[in-house]
Amino acid sequence: MDSLDGLRGFAVLIVVLSHTSNSGMFFVPILDLGGIGKSGVFLFFLLSSFLLTLILLQKGKEILSYSVMSHYWQRRFFRIYPLYTLYLLLAVMSTWFFATALGRSGVGIPFDLNWHGFLSHLFLLEGKDVTWSIAVEFKFYFLLPFLVLTIVFIRSYGYGATVLYFFLLMSLSQIISPQSESLTNDPRLSPYLPIFIVGVFLAVLQDGINRNGLNKIARETLRYSGFLGVFGVIIMTPLVFSLLGKRVPYNYFHKQFILYAICWSLILLSAVNVRGVIQRFFALPLLMYYGALSFSLYLFHPIFIMFVKDAGVNGYFGAWFVLLASTAAAYISFKVLEGPVSKYKMGESSLYNRT
């Protein structure tokens, strides 16, 4: 599914474009894309739940078996923690260096962090800067196998029972943790559960499509609903929405988890199942390339934003420098560490393809 790699690449570029705009750096004059970064992160959440659920659904009632869980957790751990740990160590060591060698306390790269904060981040209790989303997503990994196991049993009672189950899950998520009450960069899982639940539901739909195919009416419905999703995502861009009425702040849509999940899900289903403009766009080699580098790029770009801001570099030049320098750093990180380590499986000498 090349378009899924492209979607992941598009998601990380949305985050970079937003964060550079937030810092007064624009790739094109007056193209202020501040505030759209959350949209990219929510797309990451949706893609993760969709892809992992598709894989686990193939295991049926054996989901919680030792072999399946061993493979699942090794892939998740080696995909995230080696690079994430080094990233946190960089923060700790740079904070110590700035404080002891330069006398500048409270400064670090990518952020200031002490050893207590290091352990809190490592155990997913905190999430400074962009790391909040890592805490959220990894917590979801613990929940997903049990959630999919219940779906395996419930969908044996038919489509209606499955839809009802997801409706109850969504309702329960809003009772427990309403999206309107979420905090900024909240590292808890509960506020973002609607996005993950929608991703799981999409995987169940896609599994049915893979088994039974699509008729012409369903395919055309997905085609045009994909454009509806694109329209929704564009309208929810603060710059565009402000042009339609009064100016809104960057964070105006940041708590619209369900609305974002619906818009991105329409785009995702169209990109995966319908040959057309949307699928071709997300299958572009450049987007697929950034899809491969997405995790490293997501972590490293704030460092270069800090550097450009401290150097007082021109906004337009600074934006392009951040993108190119972050891309180079992400490429090196992926080739040297992230790629090889994410394919490693304990107890086997061979490497296997990245999920």
Side-chain angles (χ1 to χ4, degrees):
M1 298 182 184
D2 292 344
S3 56
L4 293 179
D5 286 332
L7 274 164
R8 188 182 291 110
F10 191 68
V12 75
L13 289 176
I14 287 176
V15 174
V16 175
L17 288 169
S18 177
H19 288 170
T20 50
S21 291
N22 292 346
S23 301
M25 293 178 267
F26 309 116
F27 288 87
V28 178
I30 75 170
L31 186 61
D32 183 357
L33 296 177
I36 66 171
K38 287 293 190 298
S39 175
V41 174
F42 298 159
L43 177 54
F44 276 129
F45 291 165
L46 191 76
L47 286 169
S48 291
S49 56
F50 174 76
L51 288 166
L52 292 176
T53 302
L54 267 182
I55 294 170
L56 290 177
L57 282 173
Q58 310 307 313
K59 308 302 179 181
K61 297 178 182 179
E62 302 299 317
I63 289 174
L64 297 183
S65 66
Y66 174 80
S67 60
V68 173
M69 284 294 93
S70 175
H71 180 270
Y72 173 81
W73 278 114
Q74 288 183 56
R75 296 300 296 272
R76 304 285 66 76
F77 178 85
F78 287 116
R79 176 73 180 90
I80 299 294
Y81 263 89
L83 180 59
Y84 183 46
T85 302
L86 289 178
Y87 189 74
L88 296 176
L89 285 173
L90 172 63
V92 171
M93 299 310 296
S94 63
T95 301
W96 172 83
F97 175 79
F98 278 110
T100 58
L102 303 179
R104 297 177 61 187
S105 60
V107 180
I109 299 174
F111 45 76
D112 65 293
L113 193 69
N114 57 28
W115 285 111
H116 179 269
F118 172 81
L119 292 175
S120 294
H121 280 72
L122 210 61
F123 288 102
L124 312 176
L125 301 176
E126 289 184 52
K128 279 191 173 184
D129 201 47
V130 297
T131 66
W132 68 271
S133 64
I134 297 173
V136 171
E137 185 163 330
F138 211 90
K139 289 171 185 172
F140 177 70
Y141 295 160
F142 288 96
L143 175 64
L144 182 60
F146 301 99
L147 182 58
V148 176
L149 183 62
T150 63
I151 293 168
V152 169
F153 282 99
I154 290 173
R155 73 173 180 171
S156 64
Y157 291 95
Y159 182 74
T162 305
V163 172
L164 177 61
Y165 179 63
F166 277 102
F167 176 78
L168 292 174
L169 284 177
M170 289 291 284
S171 300
L172 184 61
S173 73
Q174 292 309 289
I175 293 172
I176 296 174
S177 185
Q179 63 178 18
S180 61
E181 297 179 4
S182 63
L183 307 174
T184 301
N185 294 345
D186 198 334
R188 298 175 301 161
L189 169 62
S190 56
Y192 309 100
L193 275 175
I195 304 172
F196 291 106
I197 292 170
V198 170
V200 173
F201 180 65
L202 291 182
V204 174
L205 288 180
Q206 187 61 46
D207 188 58
I209 292 172
N210 293 343
R211 293 169 184 266
N212 305 314
L214 286 173
N215 59 38
K216 184 177 180 180
I217 294 176
R219 194 173 299 278
E220 290 304 305
T221 300
L222 288 184
R223 182 189 307 277
Y224 291 107
S225 64
F227 289 115
L228 180 62
V230 171
F231 177 77
V233 169
I234 292 174
I235 288 296
M236 292 168 71
T237 301
L239 174 64
V240 175
F241 194 81
S242 295
L243 294 175
L244 302 176
K246 67 175 183 179
R247 184 168 181 80
V248 298
Y250 283 164
N251 64 352
Y252 190 73
F253 291 105
H254 283 185
K255 296 184 180 182
Q256 296 298 327
F257 307 146
I258 297 175
L259 189 55
Y260 270 123
I262 292 172
C263 289
W264 280 122
S265 66
L266 296 177
I267 296 171
L268 189 155
L269 286 177
S270 181
V272 170
N273 296 291
V274 181
R275 292 182 180 179
V277 175
I278 293 177
Q279 187 179 81
R280 288 196 297 271
F281 175 77
F282 288 111
L284 288 173
L286 182 63
L287 290 181
M288 293 171 59
Y289 173 78
Y290 275 109
L293 304 183
S294 58
F295 184 49
S296 290
L297 185 63
Y298 179 76
L299 287 178
F300 289 137
H301 79 274
I303 296 175
F304 293 99
I305 290 178
M306 288 177 58
F307 173 79
V308 169
K309 290 173 68 175
D310 288 344
V313 179
N314 174 273
Y316 303 116
F317 175 79
W320 286 103
F321 174 82
V322 167
L323 178 61
L324 296 176
S326 301
T327 300
Y331 177 80
I332 295 171
S333 170
F334 180 79
K335 288 294 184 180
V336 174
L337 177 65
E338 186 188 351
V341 171
S342 68
K343 298 174 184 177
Y344 177 73
K345 183 176 181 181
M346 292 185 294
E348 293 186 6
S349 59
S350 61
L351 298 181
Y352 51 92
N353 293 329
R354 176 179 171 224
T355 299

